[in-house]
Amino acid sequence: MVTGFGPFQGFDENPSQVGVERLSGLGLQGLETRTLTVSNEAADAEVREIFRDPPDLLLLCGVAGNREWVSVERVAINVDDFRIPDVAGEQVEDMPVVEGGPVAYLSTLPIKDLVGDLKEVGLDGRISNTAGTYLCNHVMYLALHLAAEAGGGTRVGFLHVPPDPEIAVKAIEVSARMLLKR
Ligand code: PCA
């Protein structure tokens, strides 16, 4: 499964949603897509909903407004500390994503291979060691937590795309195709 995020402050159209919708249009076998809401409460419920019937693999995608490159995230931390309010107007500060959860989780996707495949098609793919402390980190942490609790059957990772929709579309397609092959 591949997810993007919907609109939020600064992005009336979220390039991660554009990328995931384009990917969905390709009709790749075995692929499911979803769009998550940029809201603490809604996104949390949406990720929990996904894990009612856990996919083999979950690639979560979002936009990083201040990065021109494609970030393959390595780590999610147990911190919600929103710089801006979410779409429901909630601005969580210094709270855990999961009360009592471990400090952090590492991506369970082959992150170096993903970076390699992105570079192969001419994209500036890089490993990132922080997904921030907003919704993207939140859903990555929660998904890794739920996957771990369920016994580790779902591999989970996060891709932060740059604001340029063309790059976002290409990065999401290349990553999804690579992961479907594994
Ligand atoms: N980017 C935000 C949240 C939604 C999105 O696309 C983030 O980086 O946390």
Side-chain angles (χ1 to χ4, degrees):
M1 178 176 295
V2 181
T3 71
F5 265 111
F8 68 111
Q9 199 176 302
F11 291 96
D12 293 339
E13 193 168 57
N14 192 319
S16 69
Q17 180 175 8
V18 176
V20 166
E21 281 172 0
R22 283 278 281 280
L23 178 68
S24 168
L26 299 178
L28 300 178
Q29 202 170 357
L31 175 82
E32 276 188 74
T33 60
R34 295 243 178 125
T35 298
L36 305 177
T37 313
V38 185
S39 143
N40 190 45
E41 204 181 321
D44 202 279
E46 288 157 1
V47 172
R48 289 179 189 277
E49 164 75 29
I50 289 172
F51 277 87
R52 277 198 209 124
D53 181 17
D56 297 332
L57 200 145
L58 177 59
L59 177 67
L60 304 149
C61 306
V63 65
N66 54 355
R67 299 182 191 165
E68 291 307 319
W69 56 93
V70 182
S71 308
V72 181
E73 299 295 345
R74 188 199 301 269
V75 59
I77 60 175
N78 196 12
V79 175
D80 279 335
D81 193 31
F82 297 178
R83 189 177 48 83
I84 51 172
D86 67 17
V87 297
E90 195 186 348
Q91 187 164 6
V92 189
E93 284 183 45
D94 299 325
M95 291 288 286
V97 176
V98 175
E99 190 82 52
V103 172
Y105 283 103
L106 297 176
S107 170
T108 47
L109 294 185
I111 58 173
K112 293 264 164 92
D113 291 351
L114 267 171
V115 166
D117 280 41
L118 291 166
K119 283 189 196 292
E120 221 162 84
V121 297
L123 293 172
D124 184 2
R126 306 184 194 178
I127 301 284
S128 158
N129 295 309
T130 175
T133 55
Y134 194 44
L135 266 305
C136 291
N137 173 76
H138 183 101
V139 298
M140 183 182 175
Y141 183 93
L142 180 60
L144 282 161
H145 182 74
L146 296 175
E149 274 195 330
T154 305
R155 287 180 296 158
V156 178
F158 198 98
L159 193 72
H160 253 132
V161 294
D164 182 336
E166 228 174 275
I167 300 178
V169 165
K170 197 168 167 187
I172 291 172
E173 184 183 337
V174 168
S175 304
R177 283 188 188 277
M178 181 274 214
L179 294 168
L180 279 169
K181 270 193 263 151
R182 296 185 156 246

